[in-house]
Amino acid sequence: MQTAPIPHPLRELIERETADIKGAQLAVAAEALSTAYRAGLPPALNTAAARAAYLVTRVPATYAALTRATAELPFEPETWLDLGSGPGTTGWVAPCDVTFVETNKAWLGTTPGRWIEADLRRLPHLDPHEAVSISYALNELAPAERPRLIAEAWHLATKALILVEPGTVEGFAHIRAARTQLIELGAHLHAPCPHQAACPMTDPDWCHFAVRIERTRLHKIAKGGDLSYEDEKYSYLIALKEPSTPAPGRILRHPKIHSGLIELTLCTKDDGLKNARITKKNKDEWRTARKADWGDPWSPEAQ
Ligand SMILES: C[S@@+](CC[C@H](N)C(=O)[O-])C[C@H]1O[C@@H](n2cnc3c(N)ncnc32)[C@H](O)[C@@H]1O
């Protein structure tokens, strides 16, 4: 599985911002955060301990998901607007300064950048930016508010809109609804979808990916356990203003590796969902499949 190491300055920021919170307090707040997420409720991050729990237990994971998703961008944005920024996780992924929009006063200024205190349901005038992102925030809005925010975000993006949500059935449902809406608005899908046709994923399955994150000392204090890593599941979408050439396929599961055979579950441009059986007969395809991972684009004909 792909990993996304947490940059040293981000680790330092998390340690610094949480230094006053005792281990026991952190563990209680982390449990409350998990309980809220399990119940599908936006957590109330209105205490220093709750925010510390978010920084320690969620920021490395959302950072890692954002890193993997934005690696698919076909250009390097020079301006970036992030909506529902929390502590500004996107700022650690973007290659340029970010304008953050966040309603929770306590987060403003946590990450360097330009901060605007605003409600996503009533956005003030905002300048257009090349990239606009909404990460792990659609799920905190009421159903009727999501399409309005997607339309506004799409309008503000001059090149790309990036959406990242938890890789759950519900998170994917938000991404899929946004996908349909964006196609109607004239978007060119770039990743992970290889096509603009109706999404072929059917219940009870859902389109999601995973990234592995090293667990920090603080993470172990907050959530217990000795495991040295955790896996974050995420769903995402990158929609472009200009026509794009997405990869003709996307790997939707861990490749199944047998002796002399690799099985790939793919979403493809021409055939929708399909299982590919790669054998050593086609040497180039075999070599590519051996290195392939869940979430990677699949374009065997380009090898
Ligand atoms: C789960 S956090 C995600 C933070 C960050 N984007 C990340 O990926 O780590 C969701 C953020 O959206 C913000 N949010 C939720 N509803 C909002 C609204 N109506 N207006 C502005 N921000 C909102 C919350 O305050 C919270 O900081």
Side-chain angles (χ1 to χ4, degrees):
M1 190 183 296
Q2 303 273 355
T3 56
I6 308 306
H8 198 64
L10 176 55
R11 278 171 188 259
E12 281 180 344
L13 180 138
I14 293 170
E15 297 221 346
R16 199 170 55 242
E17 293 282 326
T18 57
D20 293 341
I21 309 298
K22 296 200 166 60
Q25 256 182 306
L26 192 60
V28 170
E31 181 53 35
L33 196 56
S34 297
T35 304
Y37 282 131
R38 274 197 297 273
L41 298 169
L45 301 184
N46 49 11
T47 65
R51 287 188 296 280
Y54 186 83
L55 283 163
V56 168
T57 66
R58 292 303 303 145
V59 165
T62 62
Y63 165 84
L66 270 160
T67 301
R68 289 288 292 146
T70 58
E72 298 281 339
L73 275 173
F75 69 102
E76 201 164 281
E78 292 182 2
T79 59
W80 193 308
L81 175 69
D82 182 57
L83 303 172
S85 304
T89 322
T90 307
W92 298 93
V93 171
C96 57
D97 285 346
V98 175
T99 301
F100 301 105
V101 178
E102 172 55 48
T103 187
N104 185 340
K105 275 191 177 55
W107 284 136
L108 307 184
T110 307
T111 290
R114 176 170 177 244
W115 285 81
I116 297 171
E117 182 188 344
D119 190 324
L120 300 179
R121 296 167 297 183
R122 286 176 292 280
L123 283 180
H125 168 81
L126 293 166
D127 291 331
H129 287 66
E130 286 188 356
V132 176
S133 53
I134 308 173
S135 151
Y136 289 83
L138 282 179
N139 58 344
E140 299 206 358
L141 298 179
E145 292 158 2
R146 285 182 212 121
R148 199 167 47 210
L149 179 63
I150 295 291
E152 289 189 88
W154 178 243
H155 179 69
L156 287 166
T158 60
K159 291 192 175 177
L161 175 62
I162 303 138
L163 306 175
V164 185
E165 285 292 299
T168 57
V169 170
E170 198 198 353
F172 171 61
H174 300 330
I175 295 285
R176 193 198 322 237
R179 180 187 188 276
T180 305
Q181 183 185 354
L182 286 164
I183 291 171
E184 281 166 9
L185 290 171
H188 302 275
L189 304 184
H190 182 71
C193 312
H195 57 78
Q196 310 254 131
C199 175
M201 193 60 81
T202 50
D203 283 348
D205 209 351
W206 70 103
C207 181
H208 66 289
F209 306 96
V211 58
R212 181 154 287 182
I213 314 120
E214 191 192 324
R215 293 184 73 213
T216 59
R217 178 188 61 86
L218 280 176
H219 195 285
K220 289 177 189 164
I221 292 172
K223 294 193 83 173
D226 289 328
L227 211 59
S228 59
Y229 64 85
E230 66 161 6
D231 295 336
E232 172 69 7
K233 294 197 171 108
Y234 63 98
S235 295
Y236 77 103
L237 187 71
I238 295 181
L240 302 182
K241 287 274 155 114
E242 293 294 321
S244 101
T245 320
R250 179 73 54 179
I251 303 174
L252 298 186
R253 292 278 174 281
H254 282 303
K256 286 190 192 143
I257 301 172
H258 315 277
S259 158
L261 172 71
I262 299 175
E263 290 182 272
L264 298 177
T265 304
L266 301 172
C267 188
T268 63
K269 179 167 166 271
D270 297 326
D271 305 317
L273 297 180
K274 80 172 203 190
N275 291 315
R277 292 164 67 84
I278 318 291
T279 63
K280 288 182 179 168
K281 271 192 201 148
N282 182 333
K283 286 203 174 59
D284 289 344
E285 210 174 64
W286 175 257
R287 210 173 300 127
T288 310
R290 279 192 47 192
K291 283 184 267 162
D293 206 347
W294 178 13
D296 285 348
W298 178 249
S299 42
E301 64 270 34
Q303 306 310 313

